[in-house]
Amino acid sequence: MERSLIIFKPDAVLRGIIGEIITRFERAGFKIIAMKMLQPSYDDLFTHYEGIGTLKTRKGDEIFESQLASMQDGPVIAMVLEGVEAVETIRKMVGATEPKSAAPGTIRGDYAHVTYGAAASVGRGVANIIHASADLSEAKKEISHWFSDSELHTYDTVHQPFTQPRKK
Ligand code: CDP
Ligand code: MG
């Protein structure tokens, strides 16, 4: 089983839409193995977006600082989901980074529509609802950055019989 790190960004928390989005993941059969609300520090976001995500290196200082400021507009909810090839499938459910380009049916496409240009013109990171790990290596680093081992829970869901060998 794979694990992926999800963060509901402040725009999702402030809009009161996290329940609907958690429902999408539950409905798809992903197991929530950790979840917490926190006000992230600049340093924690720096590690997440540059140390792990290389956003500053890829997109430059202006976008990077705007994004970190936007992530401090309110509390966020961090979550770890577990499932078969979870990282890739969750990214597919989340959709493209820019809401304008995110397909209908994806989380970013269904809950937002704005553009990079509109966000940059007001000094904000583009409000795209949710973060999800981009690949397995990023997922592993992000999970250990935001959660300690004791915060990751082990339990059985009713989906599991369908992913395990039949009992004789
Ligand atoms: O989040 P994702 O992995 O899809 O994209 P990223 O390239 O890792 O960028 C991280 C976050 O920075 C995005 O989700 C946006 O919130 C923000 N960003 C932005 O505001 N403007 C850009 N041109 C690129 C990224
Ligand atoms: Mg990314």
Side-chain angles (χ1 to χ4, degrees):
M1 287 291 169
E2 278 181 20
R3 292 174 171 182
S4 185
L5 188 277
I6 303 300
I7 300 177
F8 290 102
K9 299 184 180 187
D11 53 308
V13 176
L14 298 177
R15 284 175 57 187
I17 54 175
I18 60 156
E20 292 178 30
I21 299 170
I22 292 172
T23 295
R24 291 182 175 215
F25 292 124
E26 287 185 319
R27 209 167 49 196
F30 290 107
K31 189 199 288 192
I32 299 169
I33 62 161
M35 185 155 80
K36 64 182 170 190
M37 179 175 267
L38 68 149
Q39 185 72 53
S41 69
Y42 183 92
D43 286 353
D44 272 341
L45 290 168
F46 193 97
T47 300
H48 175 84
Y49 275 116
E50 174 58 15
I52 303 170
T54 67
L55 182 64
K56 192 177 165 79
T57 307
R58 287 186 289 118
K59 305 286 174 184
D61 286 355
E62 204 170 322
I63 287 173
F64 183 75
E65 295 301 336
S66 296
Q67 176 60 11
L68 262 58
S70 289
M71 289 298 287
Q72 295 189 299
D73 281 341
V76 303
I77 293 174
M79 190 162 99
V80 180
L81 294 174
E82 190 176 87
V84 175
E85 298 192 26
V87 173
E88 185 184 336
T89 302
I90 288 168
R91 282 289 285 204
K92 193 169 68 179
M93 291 173 71
V94 164
T97 307
E98 184 185 36
K100 182 192 170 192
S101 310
T106 65
I107 293 163
R108 287 167 171 171
D110 282 354
Y111 288 94
H113 70 278
V114 294
T115 61
Y116 287 142
S121 73
V122 291
R124 291 178 178 273
V126 74
N128 61 5
I129 315 290
I130 191 166
H131 165 84
S133 306
D135 56 44
L136 202 48
S137 137
E138 192 174 280
K140 286 191 173 136
K141 291 180 203 157
E142 289 177 349
I143 291 167
S144 56
H145 174 58
W146 292 106
F147 289 94
S148 61
D149 281 350
S150 65
E151 291 175 310
L152 303 173
H153 297 274
T154 305
Y155 63 99
D156 292 334
T157 70
V158 296
H159 293 280
Q160 278 169 240
F162 301 102
T163 65
Q164 290 168 347
R166 280 196 186 79
K167 291 201 174 85
K168 296 236 164 88

